[in-house]
Amino acid sequence: MKTLDSKKEEYCQKNKEKSSEICSALLASLSEGLEQNIKNGSYSRAGGHQEFLNDLQKVEKQFFDTPKKGIMAWKILKKFLRGKEDISKAILQNDKALQMNEKEIADEKMKAKAKELEKEVQKLEKEMSKQKSADHKQSQDMNFHMLKKKRLEEKKQRLEEYEKMIESKLREQKALLEEGFEKEASQLNEEIEELRKKKEEVEKPSWISSALENLKTAIREKLSKIHEEVIEPVVDRFKTLIQNTSSKD
């Protein structure tokens, strides 16, 4: 006849066995998706280890949320989790290798992008320099044309003024001679000669040429200043961008 203790022990053993069966079957059911992902290599990619851990935690949570598992629940779960430790390590090692490879690929792409950007900056700098030269020449031509026209008009006006002054003095001299003031009329010769010399000076081409050269120098200085203040800073910003991009390699 069985004693009370032996009956109690037998009862406990049956409960353990029943609980173990329930828990094992439950874990097998809950981890079907996890096991399938392991078999088909779903975790064999960059970031796969974290996804594996997330799926494993879902199985664990669902297991705890399921009632009536019996007294062996925690022990069976620990056994299940230990069985996944080697798999987890293998996935982690593969994950690190893949991430390193992806980083190297990303670095190469970054370097290629930096070189491409540098070429674009050089191309832009060349185009800006070419445009600057074209704008410079166009601006000079336009300003020279306008100045030449203005100076010719001024020259014409000054010549007309001198001509009028000379004619006025000649009329004055003629009137003095007609009235018998020969001495006074003779004194006007010096003034008339001085006016004629001034008129001849204005008629010389060197007067306009000198003015044009002065303007040419002024325009060059102005355009050079614009290049330094506007164009060069733009190019410098592109160069800085390239340096910052390259420093990340």
Side-chain angles (χ1 to χ4, degrees):
M1 185 176 178
K2 294 181 179 180
T3 63
L4 183 61
D5 289 339
S6 63
K7 287 182 178 181
K8 184 178 179 181
E9 184 178 348
E10 183 180 350
Y11 177 76
C12 288
Q13 183 62 33
K14 287 182 179 180
N15 282 343
K16 287 180 180 180
E17 291 175 358
K18 185 65 175 178
S19 176
S20 295
E21 290 177 4
I22 293 173
C23 291
S24 296
L26 178 60
L27 284 172
S29 175
L30 294 175
S31 63
E32 282 183 0
L34 178 74
E35 297 293 347
Q36 185 62 37
N37 287 338
I38 293 172
K39 289 180 181 179
N40 61 28
S42 296
Y43 302 121
S44 298
R45 57 185 176 80
H49 184 254
Q50 185 58 52
E51 186 177 346
F52 168 78
L53 293 179
N54 292 340
D55 290 345
L56 192 61
Q57 288 175 358
K58 287 179 183 178
V59 172
E60 186 177 350
K61 184 178 184 304
Q62 290 172 343
F63 179 79
F64 277 121
D65 290 343
T66 303
K68 299 179 181 181
K69 295 184 293 292
I71 60 175
M72 296 297 291
W74 178 240
K75 189 172 183 179
I76 297 300
L77 178 62
K78 284 179 66 177
K79 181 180 178 181
F80 172 80
L81 294 176
R82 280 198 300 269
K84 296 293 182 286
E85 287 179 357
D86 289 342
I87 296 174
S88 178
K89 290 178 181 178
I91 293 174
L92 177 60
Q93 185 176 0
N94 184 63
D95 193 346
K96 288 181 178 179
L98 290 173
Q99 287 188 25
M100 181 62 68
N101 184 51
E102 286 191 356
K103 183 179 182 300
E104 290 175 356
I105 293 174
D107 288 344
E108 289 300 320
K109 287 183 178 180
M110 182 66 72
K111 290 178 181 178
K113 189 67 177 178
K115 289 181 180 179
E116 182 181 346
L117 183 59
E118 185 176 3
K119 289 181 180 178
E120 288 296 324
V121 171
Q122 291 175 349
K123 181 180 178 182
L124 177 62
E125 188 174 13
K126 185 177 180 181
E127 290 177 353
M128 291 175 73
S129 178
K130 185 177 179 181
Q131 184 63 43
K132 170 183 168 290
S133 298
D135 292 344
H136 188 171
K137 185 177 183 303
Q138 183 180 6
S139 178
Q140 279 189 330
D141 291 344
M142 184 179 297
N143 281 282
F144 291 160
H145 176 74
M146 292 174 64
L147 180 64
K148 185 176 180 180
K149 182 179 179 181
K150 181 180 178 182
R151 293 308 187 199
L152 287 173
E153 290 175 354
E154 290 177 353
K155 177 182 177 180
K156 181 181 178 182
Q157 183 179 352
R158 292 184 68 181
L159 288 173
E160 289 175 353
E161 289 174 356
Y162 281 127
E163 188 65 34
K164 289 178 181 179
M165 291 170 68
I166 292 171
E167 289 177 358
S168 176
K169 290 295 180 180
L170 288 172
R171 286 195 299 270
E172 183 181 350
Q173 187 182 52
K174 182 180 179 182
L176 288 171
L177 288 171
E178 289 176 350
E179 293 177 6
F181 298 104
E182 294 182 2
K183 183 179 180 181
E184 288 78 357
S186 178
Q187 290 175 349
L188 288 176
N189 285 334
E190 186 176 343
E191 293 183 26
I192 294 171
E193 186 62 27
E194 183 66 24
L195 289 171
R196 283 173 175 168
K197 286 181 179 180
K198 289 182 178 180
K199 180 184 175 184
E200 289 175 359
E201 286 295 321
V202 173
E203 289 175 335
K204 291 180 180 179
S206 58
W207 182 79
I208 293 180
S209 298
S210 177
L212 288 175
E213 284 301 321
N214 291 336
L215 176 65
K216 184 177 180 181
T217 302
I219 291 175
R220 281 179 175 173
E221 291 177 354
K222 183 66 176 177
L223 289 175
S224 177
K225 186 176 181 181
I226 291 174
H227 181 259
E228 292 175 358
E229 295 178 352
V230 179
I231 297 177
E232 289 184 359
V234 173
V235 175
D236 289 341
R237 283 197 292 271
F238 273 103
K239 289 182 177 178
T240 301
L241 177 60
I242 290 175
Q243 292 173 356
N244 292 339
T245 304
S246 300
S247 65
K248 295 179 181 178
D249 296 341

